[in-house]
Amino acid sequence: MFEMLNTKRSGREMLRTSTKALGFVISRNSLFNSNRTRSVMTFVLGLSLAVTARAQNSGTIDQLFAFTCTRGISGETCPQGGRPDLIIQASDGNFYGAAQVTDEGVSDPQGGTLFKLTPAGKFTRLFTFTQGASGFPNGNNPVSGFVEANDGFLYGITFNGGRQNDGVLFRISKTGTGFKVLHNFCSSANCADGSIPNGLLLGQDGNLYGTTQEGGSSVSPCPSSGCGTIFRFEPTTGAFTVLHRLTDAADGLQPSGMIQATNGNFYGISQGLDPRVDSFNVDIFQFTPAGEFTVQSKSPILDIGISGLTQGANGNLYGAFQNISADEINFFEVSADGTGFVAFAPFTPLVGVLSIPSLFLASDGNLWDTNFSDSTAPMGSVFSISPQNGAVLQTFAFDGANGNSPEVGVIQAADGTFVGTTEHAGTMSGGSKEFADGTVWTLDAGLPAPAPAITLLNSTSGSEGSTVLINGHNFIGTTAVGFNGVSASFQVLNTQFVGATVPAGATTGPITVTNLGGTATSTQSFNVN
């Protein structure tokens, strides 16, 4: 039978299964259980071993920075932070991220830091989450990485802490000033505004959208902790709005891994419950900007969603699920309208539960990811799969010196290099009481720089001197913007937005954006008044 336990756990550890005669347990275990790493490594043997053989590639994973902790009498302190999470490359070309803890060696590590890292590896701590008399008022255990909004600030979420200890939404500048809690989750009665945020993204309208693992509706058949929510935050006004509260029977529960596709709709994963057989399956949902929530696709019973979604170059959605009954992992492909679901060949059998980072569409057209551990790379690996059939194409192993246990996937920097983090290990210089607690790493796999892509223009007409917002992808490192062949002044706001000024002499026609990877041309024509 199903049981909801009142202990928090990571958005990446969405489900834990245990063998029971009539089902399995969904628990909210602590994100930072000190035994988690070893237990996960025990059962994640063979994750990146597909049914076909694969070769280890010659590229090397290089440590860019290692987080240093110090052993003491009462525990282990990590002033730089430990267990770094997903990072981003911001408009200034630097990397920004969060480290999940500031202490180790205890049953429930707390705190965390926010940091900046230059491409040369220079580290700057921007902020530390500290404990006060009544908990962590600014948040505790930051997760899911940053989002750089059009106002130049970095936005993020914490899994715990805040006024109700149910997480916060926060903002900070890239210099580390101006930290502000924007929303304390579970501030409304019965946590109607959501509880335990587990994802945040920048929308095509410049607003922030996210999901909470719990909260929202607690009306049966939702558990008392709630089925989860979808929310919006408007940086220009400071308005926080719950857009949808999931209801168990219709929508599933615990939404996660949400993205906004090129068609403007949002897509994500929820855990669907079939009350007829008291079993779970993975639901792929669509949420429109107009507020309509629909489940587009349901997997067979006992398939559990364990990763977020990624949109491929063909417009289809990709993710991963675990088949509980077969004890297997499968990547899958499905169209945005929910048809054509294809489960790729299973990975080797697993025992227990795990989460897999969302796949990343790289400049070679393949899908890249990280693997916590497997039998050929016990400290984890970076790998790529084919979007056509899921076959593993390349793998690059960690060796401990460059990190151990990558958990949050990869990004591709403007020069084509992959960048990511590991939760443990690394190489550092120091005394016997110091140890490395995770790394930021780089990998040059020989891929070209990612080319820009234009999704839409915020306006399709304007006069000389007016500003146009261009929305798309891979805008970090933009070198030129043109209006029907006339060069324009511009500002890169983040990886998804460029602001450009209509130049003198411009004529009606398409807008182009150029970077090291190539040139993108808008499908919309811009009319010069």
Side-chain angles (χ1 to χ4, degrees), residues 487-502:
S487 296
S489 61
F490 65 91
Q491 180 184 5
V492 176
L493 304 178
N494 46 60
T495 189
Q496 294 175 233
F497 282 92
V498 170
T501 301
V502 181

Side-chain angles (χ1 to χ4, degrees), residues 60-253:
T60 58
I61 301 171
D62 297 314
Q63 174 182 294
L64 184 62
F65 181 79
F67 293 79
T68 301
C69 300
T70 302
R71 298 182 179 90
I73 297 176
S74 58
E76 299 163 350
T77 59
C78 310
Q80 296 172 329
R83 309 189 193 184
D85 205 88
L86 189 68
I87 62 175
I88 67 166
Q89 188 174 29
S91 55
D92 61 2
N94 295 314
F95 301 106
Y96 294 85
Q100 301 173 54
V101 302
T102 44
D103 59 18
E104 288 282 16
V106 294
S107 60
D108 190 19
Q110 305 284 326
T113 65
L114 307 175
F115 64 86
K116 167 187 172 182
L117 192 66
T118 69
K122 182 181 178 182
F123 175 89
T124 302
R125 183 181 59 187
L126 301 177
F127 187 81
T128 300
F129 294 91
T130 56
Q131 188 169 13
S134 57
F136 288 79
N138 292 321
N140 184 15
N141 307 138
V143 294
S144 296
F146 279 124
V147 171
E148 184 180 21
N150 291 347
D151 60 6
F153 283 95
L154 303 172
Y155 292 78
I157 53 178
T158 68
F159 191 67
N160 299 315
R163 193 173 299 147
Q164 309 298 329
N165 197 33
D166 281 273
V168 305
L169 169 68
F170 66 84
R171 181 188 73 188
I172 192 171
S173 73
K174 292 192 284 291
T175 62
T177 60
F179 180 93
K180 183 179 181 180
V181 173
L182 302 169
H183 185 76
N184 286 276
F185 288 91
C186 201
S187 293
S188 301
N190 301 315
C191 296
D193 58 325
S195 169
I196 315 178
N198 59 10
L200 192 67
L201 63 91
L202 180 63
Q204 294 173 0
D205 59 0
N207 293 320
L208 303 177
Y209 294 83
T211 54
T212 66
Q213 182 175 306
E214 297 181 356
S217 174
S218 58
V219 177
S220 180
C222 283
S224 59
S225 56
C227 283
T229 68
I230 298 173
F231 65 86
R232 179 182 65 215
F233 179 80
E234 301 175 36
T236 56
T237 65
F240 178 93
T241 307
V242 176
L243 300 175
H244 185 74
R245 297 176 177 91
L246 278 72
T247 57
D248 198 1
D251 302 342
L253 72 165

Side-chain angles (χ1 to χ4, degrees), residues 72 78 142 178 193 254 258 289 412 421 514:
C78 310
D193 58 325
Q254 298 177 340
M258 191 171 75
Q412 192 174 20
T421 64
T514 301

Side-chain angles (χ1 to χ4, degrees), residues 206-529:
N207 293 320
L208 303 177
Y209 294 83
T211 54
T212 66
Q213 182 175 306
E214 297 181 356
S217 174
S218 58
V219 177
S220 180
C222 283
S224 59
S225 56
C227 283
T229 68
I230 298 173
F231 65 86
R232 179 182 65 215
F233 179 80
E234 301 175 36
T236 56
T237 65
F240 178 93
T241 307
V242 176
L243 300 175
H244 185 74
R245 297 176 177 91
L246 278 72
T247 57
D248 198 1
D251 302 342
L253 72 165
Q254 298 177 340
S256 65
M258 191 171 75
I259 63 170
Q260 188 172 25
T262 53
N263 64 7
N265 294 326
F266 299 91
Y267 296 88
I269 295 291
S270 63
Q271 307 302 333
L273 174 62
D274 188 337
R276 297 169 300 174
V277 293
D278 202 13
S279 294
F280 273 79
N281 62 276
V282 55
D283 286 349
I284 299 171
F285 68 79
Q286 173 186 275
F287 183 71
T288 69
E292 182 182 358
F293 185 102
T294 56
V295 172
Q296 299 288 86
S297 177
K298 280 183 173 288
S299 71
I301 296 301
L302 295 181
D303 285 350
I304 305 301
I306 56 174
S307 83
L309 295 177
T310 297
Q311 187 172 31
N314 58 4
N316 289 341
L317 306 174
Y318 294 83
F321 66 88
Q322 181 181 9
N323 184 296
I324 301 298
S325 57
D327 210 14
E328 293 175 336
I329 292 293
N330 296 77
F331 287 107
F332 66 80
E333 175 185 10
V334 64
S335 67
D337 65 7
T339 61
F341 184 95
V342 176
F344 294 143
F347 283 44
T348 52
L350 302 172
V351 178
V353 196
L354 71 164
S355 60
I356 295 177
S358 297
L359 292 159
F360 182 88
L361 178 63
S363 59
D364 62 352
N366 295 316
L367 300 168
W368 288 72
D369 212 337
T370 58
N371 173 18
F372 199 81
S373 174
D374 71 45
S375 56
T376 63
M379 295 185 183
S381 64
V382 181
F383 67 94
S384 65
I385 66 170
S386 165
Q388 281 76 43
N389 56 21
V392 177
L393 303 174
Q394 299 186 71
T395 61
F396 303 84
F398 289 90
D399 58 15
N402 53 17
N404 182 347
S405 308
E407 192 183 25
V408 292
V410 303
I411 65 168
Q412 192 174 20
D415 63 358
T417 302
F418 289 112
V419 186
T421 64
T422 66
E423 272 214 342
H424 299 289
T427 301
M428 40 75 63
S429 59
S432 59
K433 293 185 177 181
E434 295 182 329
F435 65 95
D437 196 29
T439 66
V440 176
W441 53 265
T442 63
L443 168 64
D444 184 355
L447 271 63
I454 298 175
T455 302
L456 56 85
L457 310 176
N458 79 324
S459 61
T460 56
S461 65
S463 58
E464 292 182 6
S466 62
T467 300
V468 180
L469 277 181
I470 306 165
N471 172 252
H473 298 285
N474 301 328
F475 289 156
I476 304 299
T478 292
T479 56
V481 173
F483 283 71
N484 202 23
V486 179
S487 296
S489 61
F490 65 91
Q491 180 184 5
V492 176
L493 304 178
N494 46 60
T495 189
Q496 294 175 233
F497 282 92
V498 170
T501 301
V502 181
T507 57
T508 296
I511 292 178
T512 56
V513 176
T514 301
N515 68 10
L516 290 176
T519 298
T521 302
S522 66
T523 57
Q524 297 169 290
S525 179
F526 185 84
N527 296 305
V528 179
N529 297 332

